Amino acid sequence: GVGQETLGVIVGQSPVLQRLLSEERLEKLLVTCGITKFVYGDVLLDEGGHSDRFILVVDGKATESYPDGSHDVYDRGSVVGEISFVNDDVPRLTSLMCAHKEVRVIVVSRHAVEVACEGIEGLFEK
């Protein structure tokens, strides 16, 4: 699972997660995900791929590139990516790559969010 310190950083950096998930639900979410390490040049999220996960940066840096050539850099505590709960065929709009020596992240899948949010009335209705 993910350590309490990491959990605190993620909750503190993400107002969306704070509003959506209780601490108990957030812990349930993160326990199922674990931490994954990527090295320089690895693609964490690919443009045009399915919008089925988001990334919580534990440490290191990752760069998100946009179609217009601009980019953003994300570091510890950042939350980036997109999950479509309405339509499984929604393509990802941007790419996220490991920008520095390495980055450790928690990859949160749509399934993990659905499991953590079980019982929240009407959340995933289409």
Side-chain angles (χ1 to χ4, degrees):
V2 177
Q4 201 62 27
E5 177 189 347
T6 301
L7 180 66
V9 168
I10 290 165
V11 171
Q13 294 292 320
S14 177
V16 172
L17 291 178
Q18 287 175 345
R19 286 192 308 268
L20 183 61
L21 299 174
S22 65
E23 187 171 330
E24 179 183 320
R25 287 185 188 275
L26 187 59
E27 284 183 35
K28 185 177 179 181
L29 172 78
L30 298 177
V31 160
T32 64
C33 298
I35 295 177
T36 304
K37 182 175 97 173
F38 293 90
V39 297
Y40 179 78
D42 285 348
V43 176
L44 285 70
L45 302 171
D46 57 325
E47 182 180 352
H50 292 288
S51 295
D52 60 356
R53 62 191 177 278
F54 63 90
I55 302 291
L56 306 169
V57 179
V58 175
D59 58 45
K61 294 186 180 187
T63 300
E64 184 172 27
S65 301
Y66 299 98
D68 67 2
S70 63
H71 67 277
D72 287 318
V73 177
Y74 298 95
D75 57 10
R76 182 177 174 84
S78 297
V79 179
V80 63
E82 56 220 32
I83 296 178
S84 173
F85 291 100
V86 177
N87 182 345
D88 291 340
D89 297 326
V90 174
R92 184 171 308 286
L93 301 175
T94 62
S95 293
L96 183 69
M97 298 185 70
C98 180
H100 299 272
K101 190 174 187 179
E102 72 177 43
V103 63
R104 291 185 328 129
V105 301
I106 300 166
V107 179
V108 180
S109 68
R110 175 184 9 214
H111 176 73
V113 172
E114 290 171 341
V115 168
C117 293
E118 279 179 341
I120 298 177
E121 191 74 25
L123 185 62
F124 301 114
E125 291 178 4
K126 295 183 179 184

